């Protein structure tokens, strides 16, 4: 049964903000489809620009932008989505896989819905090179794709840091910071830990993917190890001087909820890990050398935009122009690269001042889709974009906390700034949940289902 239903751009952006924020604050469940039916096909507005947009990367940012380009751009806007993987595994809630509370399979999302319902063309391939002057991509199957505008959402790549090789991360000391085989390996290693064992994890200097994610992981691993008996320890080695998100929540979680289990050390440096012996060495914040024998080591390495290393496709195309070549700097009104016209970069790969998070990637995708449609129609991007960020953090097997923030464009600095309820950016802060609770944990499921539905369904 096909139910045609046209929707305007403003309605959808308003929906995204209202429903996701609403779910956070009240727990109200909303869906972007009629009762979750997968049979709805949307009738696209017949007018609009006639152009070819190619989207690279079918994760949180890329799949969302492909969907909304078709919804807002109309039938004449042809959209092709390129990703090497047949389906996507959510990083969000993948820390729960480590404790056995979820399976990786339960975090799998197909992209067929954006093809069937919105007419996005799917290409299963990896981008190998980009000729921005010719507006042409080359894929790993040797074929090429031409575009009028290009949206890149390839996510992140990892440095081989702390004396470890890519093989060490894959086989012995998994970072598990991209959900997949390393997540499963880390789960198995944790499950095999002796009672009273020691888990050592590290956090890279910001910016990195998901600011609260490592602290959430420390809590969940501590919760699981405690349940097996006394004496277990979770050592958190943070290269940052302070906790990077939800400071009140995690300070309380480390000292009270998981007090005596989690040992949080900020401002460390010189981390070195022996993958064979699991010996970990570092220098503490006071400059003293430290050493520890771990049962399981989980180093989260420094990150950069995927393809941005020397000689790789993003770097060769001149797009890795932010933070010493690690990220793609963009204009936050359109997410167009500041270095390469006609190419937009969204999600974790972009340097745009917003946190690297899936909920934010969904928001950036909508601002970018709106801007691309306007630019292809000879108009200017919206001059006052607003984005919100919401994030739930499980603290134990049945409790969670949350963090929410609103960002708005600041014309003086041409950047996105935190905004308060009254619209002022002066002294505005993100809001943390007042408590860690089981109610928050239940709301987390609603938030997650809504976000993933808005991105993939
Ligand atoms: C443990 C953990 C917990 C998290 N929890 C939360 C949370 O609670 N809330 C939240 O908002 N965020 C969370 N995040 C962060 C969130 O997952 C990321 O910010 C988000 O996935 C970024 O979206 P993206 O589209 O930029 O990248 P991704 O989702 O990683 O997608 C990138 C896509 O690009 C594809 N790709 C890469 N290279 C190429 C190429 N050359 N050609 C074609 N395709 C390519 C990849 O296959 C992939 O599908 C968490 C992350 C982790 C690791």
């Amino acid at each position: 049964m096909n139910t045609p239903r046209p929707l305007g751009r403003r309605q959808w952006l308003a929906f995204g903000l209202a429903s996701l924020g609403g779910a956070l604050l009240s727990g109200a469940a909303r869906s972007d489809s009629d009762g979750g039916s997968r049979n709805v096909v949307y009738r696209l507005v017949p007018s609009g620009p006639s152009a070819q947009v190619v989207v690279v990367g079918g994760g949180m940012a890329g799949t969302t932008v492909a969907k909304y380009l078709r919804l807002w751009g109309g039938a004449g806007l042809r959209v092709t989505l390129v990703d090497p993987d047949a389906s996507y595994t959510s990083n969000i809630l993948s820390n729960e896989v480590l404790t056995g509370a979820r399976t990786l399979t339960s975090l799998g999302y197909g992209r067929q819905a954006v093809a069937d319902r919105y007419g996005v063309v799917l290409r299963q391939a990896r981008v190998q090179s980009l000729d921005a002057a010719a507006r042409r991509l080359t894929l790993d199957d040797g074929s090429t794709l031409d575009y009028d505008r290009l949206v890149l959402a390839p996510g992140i790549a990892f440095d081989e840091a702390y004396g470890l090789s890519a093989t060490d991360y894959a086989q012995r000391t998994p970072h598990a910071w991209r959900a997949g085989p390393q997540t499963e390996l880390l789960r198995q290693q944790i499950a095999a830990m002796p009672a009273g064992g020691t888990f050592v994890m590290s956090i890279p200097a910001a910016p990195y993917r998901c600011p609260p994610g490592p602290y959430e992981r420390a809590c969940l691993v501590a919760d699981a190890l405690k349940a097996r008996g006394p004496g277990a320890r979770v050592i958190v080695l943070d290269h940052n001087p302070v906790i990077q998100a939800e400071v009140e929540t995690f300070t309380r979680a480390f000292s009270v909820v998981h007090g005596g289990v989690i040992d949080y050390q900020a401002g460390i440096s010189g981390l070195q890990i022996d993958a064979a012996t699991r010996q970990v060495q570092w220098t503490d914040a006071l400059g003293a050398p430290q050493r520890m024998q771990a049962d399981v080591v989980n180093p989260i390495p420094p990150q950069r935009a995927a393809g941005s290393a020397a000689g790789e496709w993003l770097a060769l195309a001149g797009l890795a122009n932010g933070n010493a070549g690690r990220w793609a700097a963009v204009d936050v009104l359109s997410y167009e690269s500041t270095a390469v016209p006609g190419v937009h970069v969204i999600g974790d790969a972009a340097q745009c001042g917003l946190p690297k998070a899936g909920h934010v990637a969904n928001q950036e995708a909508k601002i970018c889709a709106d801007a691309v449609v306007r630019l292809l129609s000879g108009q200017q991007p919206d001059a006052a974009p607003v984005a919100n960020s919401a994030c739930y953090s499980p603290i134990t097997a049945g409790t969670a906390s949350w963090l929410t923030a609103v960002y708005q464009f600041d014309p003086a600095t041409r950047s996105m700034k935190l905004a308060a309820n009254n619209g002022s950016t002066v002294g505005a802060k993100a809001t943390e949940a007042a408590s860690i609770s089981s109610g928050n944990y239940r709301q987390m499921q609603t938030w997650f289902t809504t976000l993933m539905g808005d991105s993939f369904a």
Side-chain angles (χ1 to χ4, degrees), residues 58-393:
M60 297 300 296
T63 307
T64 308
V65 80
K67 165 181 167 175
Y68 280 92
L69 278 165
R70 286 285 292 171
L71 272 169
W72 293 340
L77 194 64
R78 299 178 304 286
V79 178
T80 302
L81 176 59
V82 186
D83 196 291
D85 299 331
S87 66
Y88 178 73
T89 303
S90 167
N91 299 299
I92 303 177
L93 296 187
S94 66
N95 281 332
E96 289 204 324
V97 174
L98 303 179
T99 61
R102 274 176 200 271
T103 61
L104 262 186
T105 315
S106 75
L107 296 175
Y109 290 84
R111 303 184 185 92
Q112 200 55 44
V114 297
D116 294 346
R117 300 172 83 188
Y118 311 105
V120 172
V121 175
L122 302 179
R123 280 294 295 273
Q124 196 177 336
R126 180 178 293 278
V127 166
Q128 277 199 322
S129 67
L130 163 60
D131 182 342
R135 300 200 172 218
R136 174 167 295 176
L137 289 164
T138 302
L139 310 181
D140 61 357
D141 59 9
S143 63
T144 57
L145 270 178
D146 293 344
Y147 61 85
D148 296 301
R149 286 218 169 238
L150 177 65
V151 183
L152 302 179
I156 57 168
F158 300 92
D159 288 354
E160 293 178 19
Y162 317 132
L164 302 170
S165 66
T167 307
D168 290 327
Y169 284 106
Q171 298 179 0
R172 302 201 283 195
T173 53
H175 55 68
W177 215 240
R178 184 182 183 204
Q182 288 195 24
T183 314
E184 180 55 25
L185 174 61
L186 188 55
R187 184 195 71 74
Q188 289 169 7
Q189 291 182 344
I190 293 169
M193 275 177 71
T198 299
F199 179 90
V200 178
M201 63 177 288
S202 71
I203 305 172
Y208 60 86
R209 161 175 280 180
C210 193
Y215 310 104
E216 166 189 302
R217 176 174 289 179
C219 289
L220 288 177
V221 173
D223 196 48
L225 296 183
K226 268 191 317 199
R228 291 194 219 150
R233 299 186 74 201
V234 173
I235 316 296
V236 184
L237 304 176
D238 196 342
H239 287 83
N240 298 287
V242 291
I243 292 172
Q244 293 298 293
E246 299 183 60
V247 177
E248 288 168 28
T249 295
F250 288 117
T251 301
R252 181 174 160 72
F254 292 175
S255 58
V256 180
V257 182
H258 301 303
V261 179
I262 294 181
D263 174 1
Y264 174 70
Q265 301 193 25
I268 71 115
S269 58
L271 182 63
Q272 283 295 308
I273 296 164
D274 185 323
T277 63
R278 296 185 301 280
Q279 276 273 334
V280 182
Q281 298 180 57
W282 70 97
T283 303
D284 69 19
L286 298 175
Q290 301 290 343
R291 177 187 291 267
M292 179 162 285
Q293 175 65 50
D295 293 296
V296 172
V297 190
N298 172 221
I300 302 172
Q303 296 147 39
R304 59 192 309 146
S308 69
E312 291 186 338
W313 65 278
L314 199 92
L316 289 175
L319 283 147
N321 62 332
N323 195 358
R326 299 187 75 84
W327 308 104
V330 295
D331 173 350
V332 293
L333 291 186
S334 62
Y335 288 86
E336 189 163 4
S337 160
T338 56
V340 184
V343 180
H344 302 249
V345 187
I346 55 174
D348 288 356
Q351 177 176 304
C352 64
L354 296 177
K356 297 187 185 301
H359 187 120
V360 174
N362 170 285
Q363 299 278 290
E364 292 173 11
K366 291 175 188 170
I367 295 171
C368 178
D370 180 58
V372 167
V373 171
R374 288 176 193 240
L375 289 165
L376 287 170
S377 308
Q379 300 167 20
Q380 288 304 305
D382 181 0
V386 176
N388 83 332
S389 170
C391 190
Y392 280 85
S393 301

